[in-house]
Each structure stands twice: as C-alpha cells, then as structure tokens.
Amino acid sequence: MSLIKQLWIAIATVTLLALGGSLVVSTLNARQYLEQQLNIKNSDNATVMSLAVSFLLYNNDSDREKATTGNVNDDLKGIVNTMLSSQFDTGYYSQIRLVGPDDAVIADFHFDKPVENVPAWFVKLASIKDRPGVAHVQHGWHQFGTLTVESHTCYVYEALWSNTLKLLGWFLVTAIIAGLFGNILLSRITAPLRTLVKHAQAIGERRFITSPEPRTAELKVVVRAMNALSERVRQMLAEEAQRLENLRRQIHEDAVTGLLERRQFLNAFSSQLAAPEAPAQGALLILRIGRLAELNRDLGRVATDKLLNTLAQALGSEPDSGSIGGRLNGSDLTLLAPSAAGFEFSSWAASVAKRVYAVADEQANANMLTLSIAAVSYTRNDAVATILSRLDTALAQAELEGSRGLKIEEHRDDALPVRTQEQWRTILTTALAENAFQTSLCPVRSMQGALIHSEEVISLSADGTLFKVGDFLPWAARFGLLGRMDYAAAQAALSQIGSGGESVAVTISAQTLQDGQFVTGLIALLRANPDQVERLWMEVPEEEAIRNQAAFRAFCLAVKPFASKLGIKHAGPHFSALGDLHDLGLDYLKIDTSLLRDIDQNEGNQSFVRGLAMLAHTLGFVVIAEGIDRLEQQSILADLGFDGLAGPLAN
C-alpha cells in the first residue's frame, strides 16, 4: 500500500474516531439531560396533582367533621377519578395511579404508546431509565392515598433520536469540510513526496533525472542524495562516452580528413548492401587528388594535410544525412550515398562535383590541383568488389578529361523494374488501403540460443513483383506515408503476438516519430491490446533518434507506461550522442553490423565494442549484435559481453 493511502487512512481513522467519540459523548450527555428532565417532570407533576386532589377533597367535602376523621364518600372518589382522568387525557403520561392507604386502587390510568420513528437498536442502546413521580394526597389531617405519575418515554426517544441525527449531520458536514481542507493540505505536503517517488521510479527505469529540492528537511536530504547520484551517473556516462568516441575516431577515422579509414568504410558499405531496409539502389562517388606526392613536397606536409581536410569537408558536406565518407588511400576520398539513385543519381553526382570543384578553385594553389571525380550507381544485388571495379574504370576515364575530370556512370539492375513516382504512389496507397503488406519474422537469439524476440520485416507484392522494404521505403518517406506504414506494422506485430505468443520487434521511422497523429493512434492501439503490449519491442535507428531527439524523447515518454520494450538499432557510429538520451529508460541496443564485420580479426573494433557493451550494461541495456553470420563472430562477441545476436546465424 502506498504511503499516501496510509496517510489518508490514518487521517480518516483519526477524524472518524474524533467525530464518532464526540457524537457518542454528545448523545450520552443529551440522554442524561433528558432523563433528568423526565424524572423532574414526573416528580413535579405528581406533587402538583397531589396538591390539586387534596384541595379538591377539602373544598368538595360538605362534612368538615368527616374530613377530620379521614372518611371519604364515593362521590368524592368519583370527582377525584374524573379529575385524574382529565389530567391523563391532556398530558403525555404512560401511567397515573392513585392507591389508598389500604392499597385499594382509587384510580388507575395506563397508555402504552409505542416508540415511533426511532430505530429499535437506538432505543435499545439509549435505554432511558425514568423514575416515576410519587406524592401523597391528604384529606384533612389524614392520608387519602399515594399518587404515582409516570410520563411517556417515547417522546424522549424521539427527541434524542432527532438530536442525534442533527449532530450526525453537522459532523458529516464538518468531516467533508475537514476532508476537503485535508486534501488540499495533504496535496501540498505530499507534493515533494510524489516528486521523490517519480524520481525513484525514474532511477529504477534507468532514467537518471534531477528534481528540485523540497522544503521538507527529511525529504530534502533524500532528493539531494538522488540528484547527486544522477549527476554522478550522468558525468560517468559523459566521460565514458567521450572516451569511446575518442577510441572510435582513433580506430575508424582517418586522422587528416576525419573520414572513415578504408577498412571501416568498406565494412559500412557492405552493411548497407546487406541491410534489408537499405534502399534498393545507391550511389558511390570517388575523388582522386592527382600528384599528391608533388603537392606534399611543394606545399609541405601541414599545408597538404590542410588542403586534404578542406576537400574532405567539401565532399562530406552532402546534405543527405545518410551519406558516409571515407578515405580509401592517400589520394582517394569517397562518398557513399545510399539514397541517391534512380532519377536523382546524375544530378546528385553533378552537384557534389560542382561543390568540390568550387572549394578547390578557392584555394591559393588551385592551379596545382588535379581533381578527378567518378560516380557510379549500384543495386543491392551487386558485390562490393564489382562496384569498386566499375568505380575504378569510371575514375580512369575521368582522369583522361584533364584537371577537372568528371565521369558519371549509371547502372541499372534489370531485375528491378523501373517505376515512375505516380506508379509508386498508387502502389503504396493501394497497399495501405487494402492492408496488402506481407510480413516475415527474423529471430533474434541469446548467446545460448534462446529466442529473445523476432524482427518483423515487411515486403510488398505488386504487379507480380515482390518488393523488399528497401525498394519502397524511400518512396513512402517521400510521400509522407511512413506513419501509416509503421502503424500497420505495429498492428501486424500485435496480431502476431496474440496468435503466436512470441515477442515481436517493429521499426519506427523518424518521420513517424514526428507524426502526432501516428503517436496518438499508436497509444490507442497499445491501450486496446493490454495482453500483447508487454511483448512488443519498438526500435528506432540510431541516426534518426539522434537527429530527432525531441521527437524521440516525446515518443519514448508517451509509450513507456505501456511496458513495451524500447530500443535503438544500428547503434554504434553515433553512440556518444546517446548520452543525451540516458534518462529515457531504453531497454536494449542493437549494435550496427559495420562495427562487427570480421570482429574476430579486428582488435581495434574489439576494444571499442567491449567498451560500448560495458557502458550499455551500466545503463541496464540488453546488447544485441546485428548481421552475425559466422560462428567465430559469435564466440568473440560472447567474450566481449554481448547478450544476443541477429542475422543469418540466428536463423
């Protein structure tokens, strides 16, 4: 039971005891008072009646001598009887009785009136004990008889019951007022306590937040300690994240240009080709700086390095945030654009070349620069070696065109039918309207082989062609349909959970995170499926979570109360920025396959990944490896601290 409920029970108990005690005492006092008044009334009435009867006897006895002897004729007895009868009829009496000295009954009147409008239990509890009034009637110098007068108690019970009801009403009004006042007062007193509870719950959910210190001395100490804990954790996370970022740069980035070094770039490129949600087509561009050795000799190492960095920045300033830059060797810089293909490929390549040439022409030694640029498009069915071979061929042709050569070569896969924008719009809107998307499940297992959850992968069949998610995802983003697609995927996942019982993970896109209508609909969907919601895992790509932190934060806080699992997929390349999301209570991380490819042969990546897993475990995350296809990788990842794996090896 919560402390607030206990406080309310204590307050209610004390209030009820106080009011109940007051009610009982007041009722007992009223009963005692009414009982005393009833006894006094009986005594007074008996005295008055005895005097009246005595006076009547004296005035109506014609023989004064008989009065002195105490003898009374029957006529006088009849007058006395009539008088007492008249008094009995006009008063509230249960008995008037006149008994002679010889115990002969002269007059006896009874009336047993039942107690009305008063509960029997109250009559039993009140139990008024009245004493009859007794007085002696004189006839001259002799005693005529003993008069006993007893009033009805029913009127006393009715008065006492009415008084008790009035007291109870006032007590109820007082209790309601006290309750309202107590509610306001308790709300103000316990506001810091509620904040403290939320703070403790946040820490339990691995959300290290800070709270304002309350005025209550006892709570202030606790809140201050919890804030200090949160601050230490935040500082530790920041320091560890920065250490990992420095290590990542040392291992993965070229020191001069800041681009990925050759091995890591090729790993990232291979991961793009293997990812099911990656676009079906992409583009790869290479920039070759001619006569680099002569430039280094004539300009010096420092100036040459500065020039290389400037050209790398111009190449990497591509507005498409999904682009990846790398340095293949001393003179070759490259740019991977997974989304720049199809109708946009040629214009994209030309704009990048124009930007690089413009920056080069602004340099003081522009006449010494020989820059050759080549760009090729690719499809996910192409091998990395094949794409690089075509890129080298195109680059050789660009070098023949002079100091500013440019060669753009577009390659199409006949297996992927070309469709116009309007055709794609029709295909996607029809599929959403008819719920025609197909789903498949890819298992994610622990290192011991137990199923953690299954990843939901959607596909679409249209006009006899089966499209993978990477084929139509860019078009759905362009048409603003990702929110509806993600909602449909969540519906399918909950349905799968309900029928199969296993946990299912769905991917939520950045466009969806910013769609308030989708978030509202998703919350309604989660609320409507309380039995399945705990086995629903929702994950957001790392790059999109970092780029849209405000929307991602709002989304996490909105769905967290439903106990669904929340995680980051493709994590690692931007892991240092995740420190800003430590207070969201995420449940798991899926480490990007670009960091794990050939992990058993790359000691540098092993050091980085080990630190990343340790930091994630510090936050209570489950750490899962993506794209694992060899047993050697699984063995080393288990030693590095991973909890599970996804990819071909998990199937």
Side-chain angles (χ1 to χ4, degrees):
M1 184 181 295
S2 67
L3 179 60
I4 303 299
K5 289 183 178 179
Q6 294 182 47
L7 287 175
W8 266 117
I9 291 175
I11 292 174
T13 302
V14 172
T15 303
L16 290 176
L17 287 176
L19 295 180
S22 300
L23 181 63
V24 171
V25 171
S26 299
T27 302
L28 291 177
N29 288 336
R31 186 193 69 170
Q32 184 179 8
Y33 172 76
L34 292 174
E35 195 175 78
Q36 290 176 350
Q37 294 299 312
L38 180 64
N39 293 333
I40 292 173
K41 177 179 179 296
N42 288 339
S43 179
D44 290 346
N45 288 350
T47 301
V48 171
M49 287 184 191
S50 67
L51 290 175
V53 172
S54 297
F55 184 73
L56 179 66
L57 290 173
Y58 181 78
N59 288 336
N60 288 280
D61 195 344
S62 58
D63 191 346
R64 304 297 180 183
E65 184 179 354
K66 289 183 179 181
T68 59
T69 62
N71 295 322
V72 181
N73 57 34
D74 293 337
D75 293 338
L76 286 178
K77 290 182 179 180
I79 294 173
V80 169
N81 199 300
T82 301
M83 174 187 174
L84 293 178
S85 175
S86 176
Q87 184 66 32
F88 182 82
D89 292 338
T90 58
Y92 300 100
Y93 302 102
S94 63
Q95 181 183 34
I96 296 179
R97 182 182 178 88
L98 180 60
V99 181
D102 55 355
D103 293 332
V105 177
I106 301 174
D108 188 5
F109 303 97
H110 287 84
F111 179 54
D112 296 328
K113 181 180 180 181
V115 180
E116 299 177 349
N117 303 322
V118 180
W121 60 266
F122 184 79
V123 175
K124 184 177 180 180
L125 288 177
S127 183
I128 295 176
K129 300 177 181 179
D130 61 329
R131 295 191 303 272
V134 180
H136 298 289
V137 178
Q138 295 294 123
H139 182 216
W141 298 103
H142 300 279
Q143 181 176 348
F144 179 76
T146 302
L147 181 65
T148 303
V149 178
E150 185 176 354
S151 299
H152 264 300
T153 58
C154 62
Y155 303 106
V156 179
Y157 283 118
E158 291 175 359
L160 184 60
W161 175 245
S162 176
N163 183 67
T164 302
L165 290 180
K166 290 179 181 179
L167 286 175
L168 180 61
W170 280 111
F171 286 153
L172 289 177
V173 172
T174 304
I176 292 173
I177 295 175
L180 293 175
F181 179 76
N183 184 48
I184 297 173
L185 184 62
L186 188 61
S187 177
R188 296 188 61 180
I189 293 175
T190 58
L193 184 60
R194 290 194 298 271
T195 302
L196 180 61
V197 171
K198 291 180 180 178
H199 197 159
Q201 289 174 339
I203 292 179
E205 296 170 355
R206 303 178 304 281
R207 296 186 293 112
F208 298 95
I209 62 175
T210 56
S211 302
E213 294 184 2
R215 295 181 180 179
T216 307
E218 293 81 1
L219 297 181
K220 181 184 292 186
V221 176
V222 180
V223 172
R224 184 176 297 168
M226 295 173 70
N227 284 341
L229 171 64
S230 297
E231 189 58 35
R232 284 196 298 270
V233 172
R234 184 181 292 108
Q235 184 177 0
M236 178 198 70
L237 291 176
E239 292 175 353
E240 185 63 18
Q242 187 59 48
R243 186 190 70 81
L244 285 176
E245 178 63 14
N246 294 337
L247 180 60
R248 186 191 67 80
R249 289 178 178 175
Q250 293 175 8
I251 298 172
H252 297 160
E253 293 184 359
D254 175 62
V256 175
T257 62
L259 303 177
L260 294 180
E261 51 86 28
R262 178 184 179 87
R263 185 174 187 175
Q264 189 58 32
F265 177 81
L266 294 179
N267 284 342
F269 188 18
S270 300
S271 300
Q272 281 291 331
L273 293 176
E277 70 273 17
Q281 295 176 299
L284 185 64
L285 180 145
I286 189 170
L287 165 65
R288 173 165 290 176
I289 305 169
R291 302 195 302 271
L292 185 61
E294 297 177 11
L295 286 173
N296 196 38
R297 181 193 63 201
D298 297 339
L299 301 178
R301 183 180 61 82
V302 175
T304 302
D305 287 349
K306 183 178 180 181
L307 175 62
L308 287 172
N309 184 267
T310 301
L311 293 174
Q313 294 301 318
L315 187 69
S317 62
E318 170 62 34
D320 180 7
S321 59
S323 300
I324 303 173
R327 187 177 185 183
L328 298 182
N329 53 49
S331 60
D332 291 347
L333 309 180
T334 187
L335 181 66
L336 172 65
S339 300
F343 302 110
E344 302 175 347
F345 167 65
S346 297
S347 60
W348 170 82
S351 65
V352 173
K354 183 179 179 180
R355 182 173 66 244
V356 172
Y357 290 152
V359 171
D361 291 339
E362 293 174 357
Q363 305 302 311
N365 44 19
N367 59 335
M368 301 176 59
L369 290 176
T370 299
L371 302 178
S372 301
I373 297 178
V376 298
S377 62
Y378 66 85
T379 66
R380 61 164 169 260
N381 297 324
D382 298 333
V384 173
T386 301
I387 299 172
L388 293 178
S389 177
R390 289 195 287 108
L391 186 65
D392 286 340
T393 301
L395 181 61
Q397 295 175 0
E399 288 179 315
L400 298 176
E401 296 181 4
S403 61
R404 296 292 187 271
L406 173 63
K407 178 63 177 178
I408 301 175
E409 179 186 317
E410 186 170 0
H411 170 73
R412 294 190 180 277
D413 187 350
D414 295 335
L416 295 175
V418 177
R419 300 186 185 275
T420 65
Q421 179 172 315
E422 289 304 317
Q423 287 175 326
W424 273 116
R425 186 190 300 274
T426 301
I427 290 173
L428 293 175
T429 53
T430 301
L432 286 169
E434 299 177 356
N435 195 21
F437 291 100
Q438 302 175 13
T439 60
S440 58
L441 299 178
C442 298
V444 176
R445 301 187 182 278
S446 68
M447 289 301 177
Q448 293 74 34
L451 181 67
I452 297 177
H453 66 250
S454 296
E455 294 180 340
E456 183 182 61
V457 180
I458 62 175
S459 57
L460 173 61
S461 180
D463 300 333
T465 303
L466 181 64
F467 295 99
K468 296 183 179 180
V469 63
D471 298 332
F472 55 82
L473 200 62
W475 293 104
R478 176 177 296 184
F479 301 144
L481 299 176
L482 286 181
R484 294 175 59 186
M485 286 182 56
D486 288 349
Y487 184 84
Q491 279 185 314
L494 290 171
S495 177
Q496 179 66 33
I497 293 171
S499 60
E502 63 185 27
S503 299
V504 178
V506 295
T507 300
I508 306 298
S509 64
Q511 189 180 89
T512 302
L513 294 177
Q514 302 176 67
D515 188 344
Q517 183 177 0
F518 163 77
V519 176
T520 302
L522 179 61
I523 291 175
L525 182 65
L526 297 178
R527 188 177 290 113
N529 295 271
D531 297 332
Q532 292 82 35
V533 70
E534 292 187 1
R535 284 170 288 170
L536 179 65
W537 297 51
M538 292 180 285
E539 51 196 36
V540 178
E542 179 191 68
E543 186 175 356
E544 297 184 359
I546 299 303
R547 195 177 347 129
N548 304 278
Q549 285 195 27
F552 180 63
R553 180 181 297 275
F555 174 77
C556 290
L557 295 178
V559 302
K560 191 63 178 177
F562 294 96
S564 295
K565 298 292 190 297
L566 295 173
I568 299 290
K569 66 185 302 186
H570 308 326
H574 306 282
F575 185 76
S576 59
L578 288 177
D580 297 331
L581 305 177
H582 68 277
D583 58 340
L584 296 182
L586 299 177
D587 298 288
Y588 67 100
L589 289 181
K590 290 184 176 178
I591 306 304
D592 189 67
T593 185
S594 64
L595 302 176
L596 308 177
R597 188 173 295 274
D598 300 328
I599 187 69
D600 52 319
Q601 304 171 16
N602 191 332
E603 294 184 0
N605 269 0
Q606 290 180 21
S607 299
F608 173 69
V609 167
R610 179 184 287 107
L612 194 154
M614 290 178 60
L615 181 56
H617 283 152
T618 300
L619 292 172
F621 298 164
V622 174
V623 185
I624 299 171
E626 293 181 332
I628 306 304
D629 55 5
R630 293 187 293 112
L631 286 173
E632 295 81 2
Q633 292 174 299
Q634 180 181 3
S635 177
I636 193 67
L637 289 173
D639 294 337
L640 295 176
F642 278 70
D643 303 301
L645 56 89
L649 199 61
N651 292 328

